[in-house]
Every structure is written in C-alpha cells, then in structure tokens.
Amino acid sequence: MSVVLKTLIYREIKRFLNVYNQTIIAPIINSFLFFTIFTVVFSRSTGFQVDYKSFIASGIIMMAMLQNSYTNTQSTITTAKVLGFAIDVIIPPIPTRVLVFAFLIGGVARGLLVGLLSFTVLYFFANFSLHSVPLLILYAILACSVFSLIGVIFGALSKNFDSATSFNTYFINPITLLSGTFYSISFLSPF
C-alpha cells in the first residue's frame, strides 16, 4: 500500500473520529430510538418465523451502516468542494482510483464502526442469532462499499449542501427506509 493511500485513509478515518459525537454517537442513539419506537408502538408481526425485536434490530443496524457509509464519502467530497479545499487533493499527482479507494475505505470504516457499536447496544434488547459470521461480515462490507461509492458519485455531483441534501432525501432515505428494514418485503405488492 502506497504512502499516499495510507495517508488519505488515515485522513478519512481521523476526520470522522474527530467529530465522533456527530458521526458515531448520534447514529447509535438514532438506532436505539428507532428500535424503541418500533418495538413499543408497532405490531409484532414480521411475516417470518423470527422474533420481532431481532428482525427490527437487524434492519436498523443495516440502515445505520448504509446511511453512514454514504454520508461519510458524500459529505467529505461536498464539504471539500464547497469550502474550497478540494484543490488540495486534486492538484497533487494522485490517481483517481487511489482517491476513490481512500474515500471508500473511510466510508466502509465508519459504516462498520456504527454497525458494530449499534449491534453492541441493541444486543442487550434483542435476541440475535448469527447463522454465519463470515457471510455477515461479507454482506456488511459489500453493502457499505456500495453506499460509500454512491456517496462518492453524489459528492462529485453536488454543487452545494442543498443539492447534497436533496440526493440524501430523494434517493438514500427511501432506499434504506423502504428496503424491508421495518417490515417484510413480502408485504409489498409485486410491483
């Protein structure tokens, strides 16, 4: 691994750890609030032979991971563009693939960290049963990677914070909220 890539990955991870209250603690609190609301207020029917709390907790953890993976890369790029320090990354002779990979790793790291900590908190309230830890890790990394790369694309397309928020509102939130997080997708119509 090149020094440039290591430095960029270090910068990305340090960036979100420096504001951990916003990037790590807040998503965990949101996950717990979602869990509390859905387990106290809504029905206990999942459409599967799975404990309702486990079903909801698993979906909430994945939703938090995806949203944070996306937000990390998208906000890094949008902020750099809007505040005018993107030039510091664009001017040096750094290949685009190295930049994208560093952003990707930063987004995946944040998503996995939020997921792990959300799991740790919700573990005390839900009965999780892990069927395959290697598959769990693989799916978590792949899902966070996809959303990190979507964040790179939307960060590059965003001209300001308003357009960045629009991408999140019209694309990311519907995908993560309507993905079967709070209900079985078998409840939906075939369309």
Side-chain angles (χ1 to χ4, degrees):
M1 190 179 320
S2 72
V3 173
V4 173
L5 182 59
K6 284 181 190 176
T7 304
L8 289 171
I9 291 171
Y10 174 77
R11 183 192 76 162
E12 278 303 297
I13 293 173
K14 187 173 171 135
R15 185 189 67 77
F16 76 77
L17 289 177
N18 281 338
V19 288
Y20 66 90
N21 214 11
Q22 175 187 353
T23 59
I24 305 297
I25 304 297
I28 294 167
I29 291 171
N30 285 338
S31 294
F32 181 72
L33 290 173
F34 268 119
F35 178 78
T36 303
I37 290 166
F38 279 95
T39 56
V40 170
V41 175
F42 292 106
S43 86
R44 304 292 190 249
S45 174
T46 62
F48 295 121
Q49 299 298 327
V50 177
D51 176 54
Y52 182 74
K53 288 181 179 182
S54 301
F55 178 81
I56 288 295
S58 301
I60 289 170
I61 291 167
M62 183 55 82
M63 182 183 73
M65 291 170 60
L66 299 178
Q67 288 178 340
N68 280 278
S69 295
Y70 165 81
T71 301
N72 193 74
T73 55
Q74 181 272 328
S75 66
T76 296
I77 296 169
T78 302
T79 301
K81 286 170 57 177
V82 171
L83 298 180
F85 60 86
I87 199 81
D88 297 339
V89 180
I90 295 170
I91 292 293
I94 302 171
T96 304
R97 67 183 178 279
V98 172
L99 284 172
V100 171
F101 189 68
F103 292 138
L104 170 75
I105 296 298
V108 170
R110 179 173 164 187
L112 293 177
L113 182 59
V114 166
L116 179 65
L117 294 175
S118 294
F119 172 79
T120 303
V121 169
L122 295 179
Y123 180 77
F124 296 103
F125 303 98
N127 299 321
F128 290 105
S129 59
L130 297 176
H131 299 283
S132 175
V133 174
L135 281 178
L136 170 74
I137 293 168
L138 175 68
Y139 288 142
I141 290 171
L142 289 175
C144 288
S145 296
V146 168
F147 275 75
S148 291
L149 291 173
I150 293 170
V152 169
I153 293 167
F154 286 165
L157 294 174
S158 298
K159 294 183 182 1
N160 52 39
F161 291 119
D162 289 337
S163 62
T165 302
S166 295
F167 286 128
N168 192 36
T169 301
Y170 298 123
F171 187 72
I172 299 301
N173 284 341
I175 286 176
T176 56
L177 291 170
L178 299 174
S179 64
T181 300
F182 305 117
Y183 54 84
S184 167
I185 59 172
S186 64
F187 290 169
L188 297 175
S189 68
F191 173 72

